[in-house]
């Protein structure tokens, strides 16, 4: 199952997690000024809501602009930064449930363009890759179910039938066509499809991932993180068809 952090549910990562940016920058694919949703149940520990706009000379905590920190019931702390001035809907000490609106995406602090800067503090000193929190369960079927929810009602029936046929098709392919090769990165522990492909010496370019997506029934691939998660899950399970 994937967890949405934007109400518009069309999240795209514009800046990945790495040693210099231990966070994810996330926007709506249509760049809309959408609401930010809590990733998990937890208690609000910090709210800053008075910063009026961007400040590229800001330092320290001011770089976050308006931000909310939530100590989650799973022990991790989530930090949501650069939120729109006066948009924050939660207050310090408040208990919030997963999926509730905490504020609106914005461009306050040291931000260029409206985006959510998301950090997950696994402990005081460890900022882990937030992709782990967005992809809460590594389970191919659940990803498929979640996708179906987004499909217009008129197509639900067809899509459900289609989904049920997938395991059958896979069996047929593997028994009747011995040339189908599957990629496998079951030792890969992190959240990036690009790094996972690199780790097994496979081309990780966008154009090759687009071909992989096509071969693996991931529709209209444009590199959204849900599509990448779906591909990564297949890869970790050794079920990603090679092209
Ligand atoms: Zn950032």
């Amino acid at each position: 199952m994937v967890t949405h952090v934007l109400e518009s549910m069309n999240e795209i990562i514009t800046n990945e997690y790495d040693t210099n940016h231990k966070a994810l920058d996330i926007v709506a694919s249509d760049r809309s000024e959408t609401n930010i949703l809590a990733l998990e149940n937890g208690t609000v520990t910090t709210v800053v809501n008075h910063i009026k706009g961007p400040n590229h000379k800001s330092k320290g905590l001011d770089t976050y602009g308006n931000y909310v920190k939530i100590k989650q019931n799973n022990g991790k702390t989530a930090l949501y930064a650069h939120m729109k001035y006066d948009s924050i809907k939660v207050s310090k000490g408040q208990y919030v449930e997963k999926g509730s609106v905490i504020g609106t995406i914005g461009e306050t602090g040291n931000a260029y363009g409206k985006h959510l800067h998301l950090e997950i503090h696994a402990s005081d000193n460890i900022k882990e890759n937030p992709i782990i929190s967005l992809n809460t369960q590594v389970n191919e079927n659940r990803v498929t179910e979640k996708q179906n929810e987004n499909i217009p009602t008129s197509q639900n029936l067809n899509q459900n039938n289609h989904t049920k046929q997938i395991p059958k098709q896979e069996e047929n392919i593997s028994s009747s066509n011995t040339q189908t090769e599957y990629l496998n990165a079951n030792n890969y522990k992190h959240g990036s499809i690009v790094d996972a492909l690199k780790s097994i010496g496979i081309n990780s370019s966008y154009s090759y991932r687009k071909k992989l997506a096509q071969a693996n029934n991931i529709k209209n691939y444009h590199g959204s993180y849900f599509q990448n998660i779906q591909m990564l899950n297949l890869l970790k399970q050794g079920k990603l068809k090679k092209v």
Side-chain angles (χ1 to χ4, degrees), residues 15 21 23-25 82 115-118:
N15 196 358
H21 183 250
L24 287 178
D25 289 347
H82 305 321
H115 71 277
L116 166 66
H117 170 97
L118 176 65

Side-chain angles (χ1 to χ4, degrees), residues 147 159 162 213-214 216-222 227 230:
Q147 281 192 330
Q159 185 67 22
H162 183 62
Q214 238 161 23
N216 287 277
N217 207 24
I218 299 170
K219 302 244 162 51
N220 304 318
Y221 184 77
H222 56 279
Q227 293 172 326
Q230 203 178 1

Side-chain angles (χ1 to χ4, degrees), residues 91-135:
S91 48
K92 189 175 174 179
Q94 185 181 339
Y95 185 78
V96 294
E97 291 191 347
K98 175 176 177 169
S100 51
V101 171
I102 57 179
T104 304
I105 208 162
E107 189 185 358
T108 56
N110 193 9
Y112 292 84
K114 285 173 192 167
H115 71 277
L116 166 66
H117 170 97
L118 176 65
E119 294 182 7
I120 300 292
H121 303 183
S123 65
D124 284 347
N125 301 317
I126 298 172
K127 293 180 185 176
E128 70 175 23
N129 191 335
I131 199 80
I132 297 163
S133 296
L134 295 165
N135 179 19

